Amino acid sequence: MSGSVQFRPRPSNGRGNANHGWLKSFHTFSFADYYDPEHSAFGSLRVINEDRVAPHTGFGTHAHREFEIFSYVVAGELLHNDSMGNHEVLKRGDLQMTSAGTGIRHSEYAHGEKQVHFLQIWAKPSQPSLPPTYYTRHFTDEEKKDAFVPIVAPASSPKVSTEREAPGPAPVHAPLSLHATLLSPGRTLDHALQTNGQRKAYVHVVQTSGYNTGKATGASIKVSAQGGESVTLREGDGLYVVATPGSVLSVGNVGDKVAEVLLFEMD
């Protein structure tokens, strides 16, 4: 801990883990049969599930309401259908956002002959009873190479489009933003947290080297705060951050593999 930033690691093998055969899933926060009162939410962030779904299987039609739900596709293809009439195949680099609002029904299946690996993320909306809406955004690996690219941002933020398809981040009805990067070995990125109110951040290293229920391996990053401590994370690991406004986080790749890193920021 420094005077302005506090870190709390969330090791990969400490996450909830469910292997249903067709679905292999890690739960950062309490979800389904996994419950840990120490890890039930963080700010408006309620769910980070890292899912691998076998070919020709998936989540059948089911209902959601009063959540902002987004899917970040890491590998393979994800087939989405919903009660709003949306039918779409999502691929690597795609981000799909559903603002469930007063209620929707949807299904998600692996599309094609390969497993789909994606992160399912839920946030609590700032206000209830919103009309259901759907957004899709596309981000290339080249865009994310050695840069923190904003892929989700509050709908009220400047230059955030509320069109179904548009450049830039997907709108979320919550005080939450999400940046993504593909960080090369030896490279370091700085991220300045916003200057309004106490800030929360969560760093997640995507498990791109393969399914692993043991101690984290693969790509390795070091997260540090100016003048404070540093923490090393590997694939599947996460890090809670509580900081004063305007604090700067440095994220450096200290391994020999490209690291796919997600950085959430919340009030």
Side-chain angles (χ1 to χ4, degrees), residues 205-220:
V205 186
V206 180
Q207 199 182 64
T208 52
S209 295
Y211 179 70
N212 171 28
T213 59
K215 186 176 179 180
T217 59
S220 180

Side-chain angles (χ1 to χ4, degrees), residues 24 52-55 75-77 110-117 211:
K24 296 175 180 177
R52 290 171 170 83
V53 178
E77 298 182 350
H111 182 259
E113 301 303 316
K114 295 182 179 180
Q115 162 187 273
V116 62
H117 176 195
Y211 179 70

Side-chain angles (χ1 to χ4, degrees), residues 110-129:
H111 182 259
E113 301 303 316
K114 295 182 179 180
Q115 162 187 273
V116 62
H117 176 195
F118 71 107
L119 275 78
Q120 180 183 170
I121 301 158
W122 299 9
K124 293 176 284 188
S126 301
Q127 63 186 92
S129 303

Side-chain angles (χ1 to χ4, degrees), residues 131-264:
T133 46
Y134 179 96
Y135 312 99
T136 306
R137 300 293 186 263
H138 313 277
F139 304 94
T140 67
D141 284 1
E142 188 61 30
E143 284 179 89
K144 292 183 286 187
K145 182 180 178 182
D146 301 326
F148 274 129
V149 176
I151 61 174
V152 175
S156 59
S157 299
K159 299 182 180 179
V160 174
S161 173
T162 55
E163 295 295 319
R164 184 189 185 282
E165 296 233 11
V172 63
H173 301 96
L176 175 147
S177 64
L178 171 58
H179 290 72
T181 185
L182 297 173
L183 192 59
S184 303
R187 296 298 299 271
T188 298
L189 297 175
D190 289 340
H191 177 78
L193 301 178
Q194 293 182 24
T195 57
N196 55 312
Q198 187 182 58
R199 307 307 300 165
K200 296 182 178 73
Y202 190 83
V203 180
H204 178 79
V205 186
V206 180
Q207 199 182 64
T208 52
S209 295
Y211 179 70
N212 171 28
T213 59
K215 186 176 179 180
T217 59
S220 180
I221 67 169
K222 180 178 286 188
V223 184
S224 58
Q226 290 184 347
E229 65 178 323
S230 62
V231 175
T232 299
L233 307 175
R234 305 196 76 171
E235 293 180 16
D237 287 341
L239 180 68
Y240 293 102
V241 180
V242 177
T244 53
S247 298
V248 176
L249 300 179
S250 293
V251 180
N253 188 327
V254 294
D256 59 2
K257 297 180 179 179
V258 172
E260 187 157 4
V261 181
L262 300 181
L263 173 59
F264 299 85

Side-chain angles (χ1 to χ4, degrees), residues 32-112:
D33 293 333
Y34 170 68
Y35 175 69
D36 185 338
E38 294 296 313
H39 303 283
S40 289
F42 193 49
S44 59
L45 189 58
R46 177 60 186 84
V47 170
I48 305 175
N49 288 349
E50 188 161 359
D51 291 342
R52 290 171 170 83
V53 178
H56 309 296
T57 68
F59 302 95
T61 301
H62 57 284
H64 289 287
R65 60 183 297 132
E66 303 300 352
F67 271 110
E68 306 287 287
I69 301 169
F70 38 111
S71 299
Y72 176 95
V73 181
V74 179
E77 298 182 350
L78 182 68
L79 174 62
H80 173 100
N81 286 287
D82 65 40
S83 55
M84 293 181 282
N86 297 294
H87 174 89
E88 190 165 21
V89 176
L90 305 164
K91 302 178 181 180
R92 172 163 175 80
D94 290 348
L95 182 133
Q96 185 276 315
M97 166 73 75
T98 297
S99 181
T102 54
I104 59 99
R105 295 176 63 80
H106 74 176
S107 64
E108 293 173 304
Y109 284 87
H111 182 259

